[in-house]
Amino acid sequence: MMGIPNLGGVHNHIAMIAGEASGDLIASLLVKGLLQLSGQKLHFSGIGGPCMKAAGFNAKISMEELSVRGYVEVLRHLPRLFALRQRLAKQWLESRPACFIGVDAPDFNLGLEQKLRTGGIKTFHLVCPSIWAWRAERIKKIRAAVSYMLCIFPFEQELLAKENVPASYVGHPLADMIPEQTDQQAARESLGL
């Protein structure tokens, strides 16, 4: 996690949201790393899943609250999701965490990040939305919402710099979990090929 800037803030609370299983895994690694760096002096809470909880995160709300799929289901849950985002913004603007870290889930997190940043809270976003693959117009929202982007692909940092979005490449968490060399014979046997 080299290159992460000073979090700022006047206390040790970091608000976070991860809305799906991949974000839960990535966020859990960030929580573990930041706890190690801080000597266990940070407190994390917000929306998360089982991996984050196991890492020391206080999940006030389960990430299942954000897990909606398909257009019809999303439309049905939109009022509840907007109300949840509004409630969290109000709560954190009052309690003033040191910062907010949104992990992936850009459709939910970017709107919340924009409110928090406008209110003077530093906002970080881990896992840059794929503006390089699709929805390039989203860069305007990112620029307004994110104080600092934490990128998992090296080319994203340069792409964001061109758009005046401060960013650091922190690496892909799966790089440490997947071996560089695979045992092809063992893989074939385990798959029954």
Side-chain angles (χ1 to χ4, degrees):
M1 291 295 178
M2 294 176 57
I4 296 175
N6 184 331
L7 296 177
V10 292
H11 48 80
N12 63 353
H13 176 237
I14 296 177
M16 289 181 77
I17 292 180
E20 63 271 329
S22 61
D24 181 40
L25 173 63
I26 292 168
S28 74
L29 299 172
L30 180 62
V31 168
K32 285 179 193 174
L34 290 175
L35 283 171
Q36 285 176 343
L37 286 172
S38 74
Q40 306 295 314
K41 293 179 182 166
L42 296 175
H43 168 72
F44 298 87
S45 70
I47 299 177
C51 295
M52 291 169 72
K53 287 180 192 175
F57 180 81
N58 181 7
K60 303 273 188 189
I61 301 169
S62 170
M63 69 179 195
E64 300 302 320
E65 290 292 316
L66 300 181
S67 297
V68 291
R69 302 275 185 254
Y71 293 115
V72 173
E73 187 177 358
V74 168
L75 288 174
R76 193 169 41 126
H77 290 280
L78 226 72
R80 179 183 60 78
L81 293 172
F82 282 142
L84 175 60
R85 186 164 62 190
Q86 190 65 29
R87 189 177 91 224
L88 291 168
K90 182 180 185 305
Q91 175 187 329
W92 286 329
L93 286 168
E94 289 172 1
S95 68
R96 312 296 299 172
C99 71
F100 172 81
I101 303 173
V103 183
D104 211 358
D107 290 325
F108 187 86
N109 280 330
L110 288 174
L112 177 59
E113 288 162 356
Q114 188 165 3
K115 290 177 186 199
L116 295 176
R117 186 173 186 204
T118 299
I121 295 173
K122 285 187 180 183
T123 59
F124 296 80
H125 194 93
L126 176 57
V127 183
C128 182
S130 304
I131 54 173
W132 40 268
W134 65 298
R135 292 180 71 180
E137 75 284 353
R138 191 184 268 179
I139 191 64
K140 294 174 189 160
K141 188 162 195 168
I142 291 169
R143 192 180 306 112
V146 177
S147 304
Y148 207 92
M149 183 69 72
L150 304 171
C151 306
I152 62 171
F153 296 114
F155 65 87
E156 292 172 328
Q157 182 178 352
E158 184 179 330
L159 179 78
L160 291 167
K162 290 177 184 174
E163 297 292 338
N164 297 315
V165 177
S168 288
Y169 166 62
V170 296
H172 199 296
L174 294 180
D176 293 333
M177 302 172 94
I178 298 173
E180 287 186 40
Q181 299 293 321
T182 58
D183 182 343
Q184 290 183 0
Q185 185 57 38
R188 287 186 176 133
E189 289 172 12
S190 72
L191 295 171
L193 300 175

